[in-house]
Amino acid sequence: MTGLFGSGKDRLKNALRNIRNKYDCIVIDNAPTFNTITFLNTLFASDEIIIPLKIGRFEVAGFIWILKELDNFKINFNYQNKINILLEKFF
């Protein structure tokens, strides 16, 4: 699939190319639901990934699933960027 910004997985990366050097940080906020196209576009456009994690049974199960998907992505696409986990604490 090609279009205005190139192939599907590089669309966001290509769209951000012209403004990337104007900012110290660009935040891309994805919906918590998994969408392959959005997921791939975000990973290819990012230098670093931050995954917020609320501690709970369902959240941890989803987190384990996303880590498996990231491992597959690393293997299939030789992805080397930094992945951080942001834990939410309740007192």
Side-chain angles (χ1 to χ4, degrees), residues 1-81:
M1 177 170 128
T2 60
L4 181 62
F5 295 111
S7 68
K9 67 176 178 49
D10 293 321
R11 231 174 229 205
L12 183 58
K13 183 178 184 176
N14 293 337
L16 293 174
R17 184 174 291 141
N18 293 332
I19 65 166
R20 192 175 186 115
N21 294 328
K22 296 179 183 179
Y23 300 95
D24 294 329
C25 179
I26 298 174
V27 177
I28 303 168
D29 184 16
N30 285 344
T33 56
F34 184 81
N35 176 310
T36 304
I37 293 172
T38 303
F39 183 70
L40 289 177
N41 267 287
T42 301
L43 290 177
F44 278 109
S46 302
D47 296 326
E48 185 173 340
I49 305 293
I50 300 172
I51 302 172
L53 177 63
K54 184 172 127 180
I55 305 299
R57 181 176 56 158
F58 298 112
E59 291 85 355
V60 171
F63 175 69
I64 290 168
W65 181 82
I66 198 73
L67 284 180
K68 289 178 184 177
E69 290 298 317
L70 285 169
D71 281 340
N72 289 335
F73 183 79
K74 284 180 175 183
I75 292 165
N76 293 329
F77 295 102
N78 195 27
Y79 187 75
Q80 301 295 321
N81 295 354

